[in-house]
Amino acid sequence: MNADQEVKWATELIEQKLALEEEQKKQCSCPPELPPAVARMDTPLLEDEKRHGLINKGLEGLKGQERVRKSSVDLRREIIEVGGTQYLFELRKKPRKKKEEKKPEPEPEEIKGPITEEDFLKAAVQGKVHVVDKFLEDGGSPDTCDEFRRTALHRVSLEGYIEIAEKLLARGATVDFRDRLDATAMHWACRGGHLDVVKLLQEKGANLNVKDKLLSTPLHVATRTGMIDIVEHLLNNGVDISSLDREGESALHDAVRLNRYKIIKLLILHGADMMAKNLAGKTPTDLVQLWQADTREVLKKQEPDTTEMPV
């Protein structure tokens, strides 16, 4: 099979998977996923993120949420196993709860005395603009960091607090400041899925091809965490699509391993090399073949028979 045939075959397979996912989305009323909170990450955790996608570990009060994906087939089977088809029928009849009206946020408390560096960094995580303002107005450094060299800009980039990010940058925060894992705010904005923050950092001169200790670029990170809009933005802005991480793998290797079908399609359309080999000698196409049999099984599998469900 030559390269053109490989691309055609992979594209057709991706289209089938996307069609299946779209069909499942129509039948599944899962609540929207929330972006993760700041998490302290070390090298093994970054390795886990590379292998399994988004990693969220809550440490020292910095809590995170773990994303769990289930298909409509999995959800329906789980419901049937728990309570049978009658339970599924009753569940469908239940009216959806109305969203509670958001209460107006209370006025910020008056700040007495100076803001400590620890409180400043906590305020960045919590989005407390007035505390950040007070710290900066009192002459505090916008590059103040914790023991892991994580600055306020790192934190707000992950959380998506663009107003605070703008204030920090206006006060001279270093846009490509590296934490202990050599990750910059751009890496963390991609991990959190905040395109507006990515664009702000880019506007302020952030390096879109910067690498962390795993030699991962923002494109690698956005691919692993499934942030399609950010991947598309990075590709449209000419990032190095062939950049390799410490294991010699491109973003396409990651996308295939994690079954990020829409991202695979984007990468291929932007010219990603399906024949590029990692340090283990595997191409993205080789990785596709590892889950090809499972993919075919999923595509052929029909939903559980619900014809006997009461009307």
Side-chain angles (χ1 to χ4, degrees), residues 133-310:
D133 275 340
K134 180 69 164 60
F135 180 83
L136 296 174
E137 287 170 3
D138 289 346
S141 170
D143 284 337
T144 297
C145 59
D146 59 19
E147 67 271 31
F148 303 101
R149 289 183 55 79
R150 189 87 26 83
T151 66
L153 187 59
H154 285 101
R155 295 168 180 239
V156 299
S157 295
L158 180 67
E159 298 291 349
Y161 298 129
I162 191 165
E163 181 183 355
I164 299 180
E166 289 172 340
K167 290 178 180 291
L168 291 166
L169 291 165
R171 290 277 185 167
T174 304
V175 70
D176 281 334
F177 194 101
R178 292 175 179 267
D179 63 19
R180 266 176 48 180
L181 296 175
D182 285 345
T184 66
M186 181 63 75
H187 286 100
W188 284 93
C190 291
R191 181 171 286 113
H194 301 293
L195 180 57
D196 53 349
V197 179
V198 168
K199 290 179 178 179
L200 172 65
L201 295 171
Q202 180 184 0
E203 180 186 327
K204 298 300 180 180
N207 183 354
L208 296 182
N209 291 304
V210 63
K211 294 190 174 188
D212 62 18
K213 280 194 173 178
L214 294 184
L215 304 185
S216 300
T217 64
L219 180 60
H220 281 100
V221 174
T223 296
R224 292 168 194 160
T225 50
M227 306 305 176
I228 300 172
D229 56 342
I230 293 180
V231 169
E232 186 172 16
H233 176 77
L234 293 173
L235 292 173
N236 288 337
N237 280 269
V239 296
D240 183 4
I241 198 172
S242 300
S243 183
L244 304 179
D245 65 14
R246 195 169 63 183
E247 295 181 5
E249 296 195 335
S250 66
L252 185 56
H253 282 92
D254 286 331
V256 170
R257 183 189 305 105
L258 295 169
N259 296 354
R260 308 286 191 203
Y261 308 114
K262 292 181 180 179
I263 294 178
I264 294 171
K265 185 176 179 180
L266 272 175
L267 291 168
I268 291 175
L269 289 175
H270 281 80
D273 184 4
M274 292 185 64
M275 298 296 108
K277 293 183 178 181
N278 61 16
L279 295 183
K282 299 292 184 182
T283 68
T285 304
D286 293 331
L287 298 182
V288 170
Q289 291 171 352
L290 294 178
W291 52 261
Q292 179 184 4
D294 179 60
T295 299
R296 285 178 176 170
E297 182 181 346
V298 171
L299 289 171
K300 291 177 181 178
K301 188 180 294 184
Q302 296 181 354
E303 297 235 351
D305 186 8
T306 56
T307 55
E308 298 180 2
M309 188 175 294

Side-chain angles (χ1 to χ4, degrees), residues 75 79 85-95:
L75 290 172
I79 292 170
T85 55
Q86 181 61 34
Y87 177 72
L88 178 59
F89 177 66
E90 293 297 329
L91 187 65
R92 285 184 173 182
K93 292 197 301 184
K94 287 182 181 179

Side-chain angles (χ1 to χ4, degrees), residues 99-110:
K99 291 183 179 179
E100 295 182 3
E101 293 184 2
K102 289 186 178 180
K103 296 180 181 179
E105 294 184 5
E107 292 291 326
E109 298 179 2
E110 183 180 351

